[in-house]
Amino acid sequence: MQGYNVAVVGATGVVGTEMIKVLEETKFPVAKLLPLASERSAGSRIEYNGENVKVELLTEESFKGIHIALFSAGSSVSEKYAPIAAASGAVVIDNTSFFRMDPNVPLVVPEVNAHDVRKHQGIIANPNCSTAQMVLPLLPIHEHFKIKRVVVSTYQATSGAGKEAMDEMLNQTISIVNGNGPTKPKKFTKQIAFNVIPHIDSFLENGFTKEEMKMTNETKKIFGDDSIEVVANCVRVPAFIGHSEALNIETEKPFDIEKVRELIAGVPNVRVMDDVATNTYPTPADCVETNDTLVGRIRRDFSVPNGIALFCVSNNLRKGAAFNAVQIAFELVNQELI
Ligand code: NAP
Ligand code: 3JN
């Protein structure tokens, strides 16, 4: 086959825009690109491979002749249209949380569980951005030393909350800098400029947020191991792009910390930046232009018998969403599932 017809649902959003960029950069074999959005931006144009492509309105008829449909227009859109796309013969790669914990839907980070792609019944889920980057350094630690428990604190960029959230941070910052005080929060519950907010997604009865529980539940599903305990604290910070995470990992088996560093460096799409003598460690500013997840500050956590502490940073719109989705699309092709 020459290429695949690829629909991008939510093509005008922060994630959809990045998906189109990643399709282009990775030279995914696209025969036809179909950008889809709501009536708000249907008719507008996007750039793809030097071409000016019209954004079409998402309807139930949109998926005829489509081989792969990348969804990032929110849960309710996926709930309604992903089954329609799958019934039309497309394989859906969904970026929302709607299908992630459905036992009939594989939840895939290709470096960890590419083999699960072949179990799909028309829909494959992409994890939450905070989970996707975290499971990369965890992968060899779990394989070699069996993880008992992970305590993770996130520092999440505003792009994770969409285009309007990024604008809110920018306008609020400008307003404060100009001496006019903070603008009223809309997308966030509190002021985000020059502040941090310990609240991402809604609160649950157990006191955690949905974002925090996504990290716990999705990690177990991706590793296929319910014994890994994950407790998360998710915090929004005033960065535009790049989620950071401080991890404390407790393993069953003892390890050599230099071996841990070497194993993490061997994970595909991971780059270790770790030399405190030269102030080498990752920050969100380092991850904007890369699909790699950056890992530093790897050290022994002395508070438990077998403990590891580390800091990792990744572009939430890339490994956290668009790049992971396109990696899954490549798995469909490479495993001859499409
Ligand atoms: P965004 O910047 O606000 O963009 C939303 C996109 O969805 C726009 O293209 C919008 O089109 C489209 N859309 C909204 N309602 C629609 C409808 N009824 N029919 C068709 N298109 C519709 O948001 P975003 O940050 O890109 O996030 C979008 C979704 O991706 C989120 O809701 C979330 O489920 C998922 N997401 C996942 C991750 C992850 O961790 N994997 C991270 C961020 C987001 P218009 O231009 O026409 O409004
Ligand atoms: O806030 C972030 O940094 C990540 C946000 C992800 C997100 C935003 C709105 C809806 C999701 C997600 O992917 O879990 C969803 C959702 O689909 O539930």
Side-chain angles (χ1 to χ4, degrees):
M1 166 168 286
Q2 284 296 309
Y4 302 87
N5 297 335
V6 179
V8 177
V9 180
T12 52
V14 173
V15 175
T17 302
E18 207 68 20
M19 279 175 168
I20 291 166
K21 230 193 280 179
V22 174
L23 285 168
E24 191 174 319
E25 283 172 11
T26 57
K27 299 189 171 26
F28 187 80
V30 176
K32 181 187 146 200
L33 180 80
L34 176 62
L36 295 165
S38 77
E39 61 287 340
R40 282 182 295 274
S41 48
S44 64
R45 322 277 307 185
I46 55 114
E47 289 295 317
Y48 173 69
N49 265 346
E51 281 177 43
N52 197 251
V53 188
K54 187 172 162 206
V55 176
E56 303 284 349
L57 178 67
L58 171 66
T59 71
E60 296 187 10
E61 313 306 316
S62 297
F63 301 98
K64 288 195 180 122
I66 294 294
H67 301 109
I68 298 175
L70 304 174
F71 273 69
S72 67
S75 277
S76 59
V77 173
S78 291
E79 177 182 15
K80 176 170 176 192
Y81 288 97
I84 293 173
S88 299
V91 181
V92 170
I93 302 171
D94 184 35
N95 256 278
T96 78
S97 59
F98 191 77
F99 296 102
R100 284 183 196 145
M101 298 313 294
D102 183 328
N104 296 316
V105 174
L107 176 64
V108 176
V109 174
E111 292 84 348
V112 181
N113 62 336
H115 52 272
D116 283 336
V117 167
R118 78 174 80 97
K119 296 181 192 156
H120 85 81
Q121 298 171 28
I123 303 176
I124 301 168
N126 214 49
N128 178 265
C129 39
S130 301
T131 312
Q133 74 178 71
M134 177 174 74
V135 296
L136 296 187
L138 294 187
L139 173 66
I141 299 174
H142 192 51
E143 276 175 355
H144 287 80
F145 310 112
K146 191 155 181 10
I147 294 173
K148 281 163 68 173
R149 179 172 185 250
V150 180
V151 181
V152 52
S153 301
T154 71
Y155 309 78
Q156 296 182 219
T158 52
S159 53
K163 212 159 38 184
E164 290 172 26
M166 295 171 84
D167 290 345
E168 181 164 317
M169 179 176 100
L170 179 64
N171 293 331
Q172 212 168 57
T173 305
I174 292 169
S175 179
I176 293 170
V177 168
N178 286 340
N180 297 322
T183 51
K184 197 165 173 285
K186 287 196 190 109
K187 290 295 282 183
F188 298 112
T189 49
K190 308 275 179 190
Q191 174 186 326
I192 183 64
F194 306 104
N195 204 7
V196 298
I197 308 173
H199 176 184
I200 298 179
D201 208 333
S202 44
F203 282 107
L204 296 166
E205 289 230 321
N206 66 4
F208 284 83
T209 60
K210 276 193 186 170
E211 184 81 356
E212 289 161 348
M213 293 313 297
K214 285 172 192 171
M215 294 190 79
T216 299
N217 298 327
E218 294 174 16
T219 303
K220 291 173 191 275
K221 181 166 173 177
I222 292 162
F223 280 109
D225 187 343
D226 277 347
S227 73
I228 304 177
E229 296 298 347
V230 177
V231 62
N233 263 292
C234 291
V235 178
R236 187 76 65 195
V237 301
F240 281 118
I241 290 178
H243 286 4
S244 307
E245 299 179 350
L247 307 186
N248 291 80
I249 304 150
E250 193 179 350
T251 63
E252 251 176 47
K253 297 182 195 159
F255 53 81
D256 176 90
I257 197 69
E258 282 312 317
K259 179 73 183 166
V260 168
R261 187 175 286 106
E262 188 187 308
L263 288 168
I264 293 173
V267 178
N269 304 309
V270 167
R271 187 158 23 112
V272 169
M273 294 175 65
D274 194 19
D275 179 16
V276 291
T278 56
N279 292 337
T280 302
Y281 41 75
T283 69
D286 300 312
C287 76
V288 175
E289 300 293 337
T290 180
N291 294 319
D292 287 347
T293 293
L294 312 174
V295 184
R297 303 292 322 278
I298 301 168
R299 60 209 190 273
R300 187 170 282 280
D301 171 352
F302 296 106
S303 66
V304 288
N306 299 317
I308 300 161
L310 60 82
F311 190 70
C312 78
V313 174
S314 198
N315 183 329
N316 51 300
L317 304 175
R318 294 218 159 210
K319 186 58 192 169
F323 177 62
N324 198 73
V326 175
Q327 281 183 291
I328 294 172
F330 271 109
E331 287 299 330
L332 287 169
V333 175
N334 295 338
Q335 295 186 40
E336 298 181 358
L337 297 168
I338 197 162

